[in-house]
Amino acid sequence: MSEEIKMLFFCGLLAFMLGLYLLISHRNLIRIILGVEILSKGITLILLAAGQARGAIPFIQSLVVTFIIVETVLAAVMLGLIVLVYRTHGSLDIKLLSKLKG
Amino acid sequence: MILWISLALFMTFLMMIVLFRDLLYSAIALALASVTLSVVLFLFKANIAAVFELSVCAGLITVLFVSTISLTKNSDQKTESRVPAAFLPFVLVLLLALDLGLTVWLAREMLPAGQSGSAATFKEVFWTIRATDIWGQVSLVLVGVFGILAIFRVAPGRKNHE
């Protein structure tokens, strides 16, 4: 495996972990979605590294395009929900969402 | 050389997203990270994925984030972190060590087989081999559209909470 691919894997995994850290360490809903976005950037890099290592860039490209569409729809729906939560509760702190418990 | 600079910039922008306290700056850093990621995709000849990344992730998603931040700008952002700021360097060192270990393991165990990809072009893969994906993507976009419509739908005769 070439140095370039190793570096792609390294950066992709680091981005994935940073996203995971943001996801579990913050209570603000917008920051949580930012964490999901960072996580997805890491996955894109890992996919690219795997495609380059296997010599299957066209195949990986189609996966990345699909992944970007999934990511966009997820972000749009989640951000819409965040606006709704803000209008209902007046805050973006997930602690306040404990009211949703049955 | 351009690859290393792009990857270094990409990681810097990601760190900026984590470290900035202002959400608007974080959203702009996310857009810049998307731009550098699209440069990386271009360098590996994944041109169509790069265009998607540049237009959709750096453009559309940033607009969505900035709109949401401006719609919720009166929200409190002070007591948001669960981890004290003093622990952040330790967390970063831990993540780096874990990352290094995983990369070494991946390099040794996962990908020793070498090239095994087919010679198909993107057009063949996207429109023929993975044609079912297109239906999935179309339905996903529709789910997104109807989801947003359902979220912002106001029942007749009922006022909004605001």
Side-chain angles (χ1 to χ4, degrees):
Chain A
M1 198 160 56
S2 73
E3 290 299 316
E4 286 179 351
I5 298 170
K6 276 184 195 167
M7 201 60 201
L8 281 182
F9 266 123
F10 181 78
C11 290
L13 285 169
L14 193 59
F16 186 87
M17 287 176 193
L18 272 178
L20 217 56
Y21 166 76
L22 208 62
L23 208 64
I24 60 175
S25 71
H26 284 76
R27 292 208 303 257
N28 186 295
L29 279 168
I30 297 180
R31 274 208 190 275
I32 289 173
I33 305 300
L34 279 170
V36 174
E37 286 297 317
I38 297 179
L39 215 136
S40 66
K41 302 272 173 269
I43 291 169
T44 305
L45 265 188
I46 293 169
L47 278 175
L48 182 70
Q52 182 70 14
R54 294 283 181 183
I57 285 291
F59 181 75
I60 289 299
Q61 247 195 118
S62 72
L63 283 185
V64 170
V65 168
T66 309
F67 186 63
I68 287 172
I69 290 169
V70 173
E71 181 191 333
T72 311
V73 171
L74 176 91
V77 174
M78 290 306 291
L79 291 172
L81 277 174
I82 285 173
V83 174
L84 199 67
V85 164
Y86 176 71
R87 283 181 182 172
T88 312
H89 295 279
S91 172
L92 295 179
D93 196 333
I94 49 169
K95 240 184 171 181
L96 295 173
L97 295 183
S98 58
K99 281 180 194 170
L100 294 176
K101 281 180 187 170
Chain B
M1 188 66 185
I2 300 171
L3 175 70
W4 302 106
I5 294 170
S6 303
L7 285 174
L9 280 173
F10 176 71
M11 292 316 299
T12 311
F13 289 135
L14 291 192
M15 284 305 297
M16 283 160 82
I17 298 171
V18 176
L19 294 175
F20 277 147
R21 291 196 66 77
D22 194 325
L23 284 172
L24 195 61
Y25 291 157
S26 293
I28 291 166
L30 180 71
L32 292 171
S34 288
V35 171
T36 48
L37 181 58
S38 67
V39 171
V40 173
L41 287 166
F42 264 119
L43 289 174
F44 282 94
K45 295 188 172 51
N47 299 341
I48 295 165
V51 169
F52 260 78
E53 180 72 31
L54 194 61
S55 58
V56 178
C57 292
L60 178 66
I61 291 185
T62 309
V63 171
L64 288 174
F65 267 106
V66 172
S67 310
T68 309
I69 291 164
S70 64
L71 282 171
T72 61
K73 62 184 168 191
N74 294 326
S75 66
D76 47 337
Q77 296 175 16
K78 285 174 190 167
T79 54
E80 61 186 39
S81 182
R82 288 171 175 170
V83 181
F87 283 118
L88 191 61
F90 297 108
V91 172
L92 284 178
V93 169
L94 189 73
L95 288 183
L96 269 174
L98 194 63
D99 187 18
L100 208 61
L102 271 172
T103 309
V104 169
W105 177 72
L106 270 173
R108 204 175 42 211
E109 302 286 334
M110 296 292 283
L111 295 164
Q115 308 268 311
S116 65
S118 65
T121 59
F122 173 76
K123 192 178 158 187
E124 288 164 354
V125 172
F126 193 74
W127 295 106
T128 313
I129 301 171
R130 300 191 64 85
T132 324
D133 280 7
I134 295 166
W135 293 107
Q137 288 173 36
V138 170
S139 49
L140 210 69
V141 170
L142 287 175
V143 164
V145 170
F146 288 122
I148 295 288
L149 279 177
I151 286 168
F152 289 108
R153 188 173 64 91
V154 180
R158 188 183 158 213
K159 275 193 172 178
N160 226 341
H161 281 284
E162 226 177 13

